[in-house]
């Protein structure tokens, strides 16, 4: 077994970029942004025991669960015979912080060395784009990527709020698919200006508001946690699909806020510890750019008071500081409790905190803040749920069922109208979620 780290170069004409499935709706939209620049891209949607096995076989099980899942999808693609290793390149996302997520590319390279394969890895991160990657991330691509994330956030937000109450089962899911295809085509042609983006956001909000809904009393659940496990259906054992089957309303916060949290770190460092003023200026500038997209999303929802509108980043920071200092930035840092505060104050007072087993930073900012939450929000119930390749899905689901049963009993005590218990699988379930 060689330990030599070779760096083959990605060739746009020769290689298909394989991207792990991170976010529910956003990934395909982001893939279209990359396609618009002439690259060939495939988002890996593979799930199941074989994929997990591929991760466990080539990656040490001391590595984080998100590494085993996301790298496992890529390793499975080349070891299962579905993709020719000579024709593919891998995309990895790198946080650039002190966490293990900053080493995923090297872990993948080591696994490829074990397999005797030389496959290019394009590393996309907040602080680095791997040199010699052969991939160029232009400012226009970054702006289009932000557009894609904004669309994804709005679709996620509205789909979550309308689906549980739709009169015609499956209508919300069909509308989601329609928008994914329409926006995907537009993003891959790179032809929409900012005026069109704003019109699209308004049209999305209007189309969801037009779906007929019926009044119903449902348990409202918020999902927070480590960014990969909370979003990826593969990593969280189809958590969203499970919650849809349990006939509750759930809220999964958007990705824009998390991006802004990550990019705000240099400005926080400068404020608390000194350091590079240039990094601080870049951080503030990028935060303002994302803030424009957040504002456009909020404006699109302005005429629809029935929909929950995400708060501004400044408001999120204020909410976070009730629990933790903004200097806590490892893992999901102060942003995770900020999301919990926001969800509880918006009525989602049953919270699932999805965390990789052994993820130290997120256990500190998740489970570690429960005492403070009990003091500030005694009505809220926060369920920290660990995810790992060896942990039982049945056990996770039973714990969620207990959370929901308790919530239904409490609701019936305050309002004697019975809260419907789950009867059958919800229609049109999350194939794209
Ligand atoms: S946040 Fe947790 S799961 Fe993610 S890289 Fe760090 S330790 Fe691993």
């Amino acid at each position: 077994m060689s330990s030599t780290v070779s760096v083959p170069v990605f060739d746009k004409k020769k290689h298909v970029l394989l991207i792990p499935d991170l976010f529910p709706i956003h990934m395909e939209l982001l893939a279209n942004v990359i396609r618009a620049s002439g690259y060939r891209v495939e988002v890996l949607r593979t799930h199941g025991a074989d994929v997990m096995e591929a991760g466990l076989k080539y990656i040490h099980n001391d590595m984080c669960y998100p590494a085993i899942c996301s790298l496992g999808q890529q390793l499975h693609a080349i070891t299962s015979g579905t993709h020719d290793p000579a024709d593919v390149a891998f995309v990895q996302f790198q946080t650039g912080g002190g966490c293990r997520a900053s080493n995923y590319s090297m872990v993948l390279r080591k696994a490829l060395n074990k397999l005797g394969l030389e496959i290019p890895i394009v590393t996309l991160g907040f602080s680095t784009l791997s040199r010699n990657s052969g991939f160029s991330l232009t400012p226009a691509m970054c702006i289009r990527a932000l557009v894609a994330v904004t669309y994804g956030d709005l679709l996620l937000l509205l789909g979550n709020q309308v689906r549980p109450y739709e009169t015609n089962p499956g209508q919300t899911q069909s509308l989601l698919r329609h928008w994914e295809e329409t926006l995907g085509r537009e993003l891959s042609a790179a032809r929409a200006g900012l005026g069109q983006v704003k019109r699209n956001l308004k049209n999305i909000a209007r189309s969801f508001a037009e779906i007929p809904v019926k009044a119903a009393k449902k348990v409202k659940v918020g999902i927070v946690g480590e960014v990969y496990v909370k979003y990826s259906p593969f990593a969280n054992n189809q958590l969203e699909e499970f919650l849809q089957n349990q006939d509750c309303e759930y809220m999964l916060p958007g990705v824009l806020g998390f991006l802004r949290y990550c990019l705000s770190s240099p400005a926080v460092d400068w404020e608390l510890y000194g350091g590079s003023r240039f990094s601080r200026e870049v951080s503030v500038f990028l935060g303002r750019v994302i803030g424009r997209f957040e504002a456009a999303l909020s404006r699109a929802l302005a005429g629809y008071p029935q929909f929950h509108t995400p708060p501004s980043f400044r408001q999120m920071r204020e909410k976070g500081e009730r629990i933790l200092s903004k200097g806590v930035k490892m893992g999901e840092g102060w942003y995770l409790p900020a999301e919990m505060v926001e969800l509880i104050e918006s009525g989602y007072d049953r919270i699932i905190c999805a965390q990789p087993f052994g993820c130290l930073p997120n256990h500190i900012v998740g489970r570690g803040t429960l005492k403070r939450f009990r003091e500030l929000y005694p009505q809220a119930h926060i369920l920290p749920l660990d995810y790992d390749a060896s942990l039982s899905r049945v056990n996770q689901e039973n714990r969620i069922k207990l959370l929901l049963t308790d919530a239904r009993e409490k609701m019936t005590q305050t309002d004697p109208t019975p809260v419907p218990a789950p009867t059958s699988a919800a229609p049109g379930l999350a194939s794209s979620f």
Side-chain angles (χ1 to χ4, degrees), residues 63-67 95 99-102 104 226 229 330-332 356 358-362:
M63 267 310 284
C64 308
Y65 176 60
T95 60
C99 217
R100 287 181 279 181
S102 296
Y104 283 10
E226 188 275 335
V229 173
M330 196 63 74
E332 271 50 35
C359 166
L360 185 63
N362 284 313

Side-chain angles (χ1 to χ4, degrees), residues 226-243:
E226 188 275 335
V227 66
Y228 178 72
V229 173
K230 104 175 151 178
Y231 287 117
S232 164
F234 175 39
N236 63 31
N237 291 329
Q238 282 82 30
L239 176 60
E240 288 189 64
E241 184 177 327
F242 176 75
L243 290 174

Side-chain angles (χ1 to χ4, degrees), residues 50-62:
D50 290 353
V51 184
M52 195 65 78
E53 190 56 37
L56 289 167
K57 189 167 175 189
Y58 298 105
I59 296 163
H60 196 285
N61 62 4
D62 273 356

Side-chain angles (χ1 to χ4, degrees), residues 208-325:
F208 277 89
E210 284 170 356
I211 291 182
V213 290
K214 52 182 184 280
K217 208 165 60 163
K218 309 247 176 191
V219 175
K220 294 174 88 170
V221 180
I223 305 174
V224 298
E226 188 275 335
V227 66
Y228 178 72
V229 173
K230 104 175 151 178
Y231 287 117
S232 164
F234 175 39
N236 63 31
N237 291 329
Q238 282 82 30
L239 176 60
E240 288 189 64
E241 184 177 327
F242 176 75
L243 290 174
Q244 287 173 35
N245 284 337
Q246 295 301 308
D247 198 26
C248 53
E249 179 189 336
Y250 62 85
M251 176 58 69
L252 190 54
V255 177
L256 273 181
F258 178 73
L259 283 180
R260 200 157 173 197
Y261 151 75
C262 294
L263 290 168
S264 70
S265 283
V268 175
D269 284 343
W270 188 82
E271 196 182 323
L272 297 181
Y273 317 115
S276 163
R277 185 168 188 115
F278 176 74
S279 301
R280 185 248 174 206
E281 297 301 325
V282 172
S283 163
V284 170
F285 171 75
L286 294 175
R288 286 201 186 119
V289 173
I290 297 179
R292 300 283 292 271
F293 286 93
E294 287 175 328
L297 189 151
S298 297
R299 273 197 299 275
L301 292 169
Y304 306 101
Q306 70 270 41
F307 294 138
H308 168 67
T309 304
S312 67
F313 188 69
R314 186 180 51 75
Q315 289 167 321
M316 285 298 280
R317 184 171 277 172
E318 284 165 9
K319 288 171 194 276
E321 288 206 280
R322 287 180 222 162
I323 309 292
L324 279 180
S325 157

Side-chain angles (χ1 to χ4, degrees), residues 162 166-168 171-173 175 206-213:
V162 176
E166 62 191 2
T167 308
N168 307 311
Q171 193 173 356
T172 309
Q173 202 62 26
L175 186 62
R206 196 184 60 241
S207 65
F208 277 89
E210 284 170 356
I211 291 182
V213 290

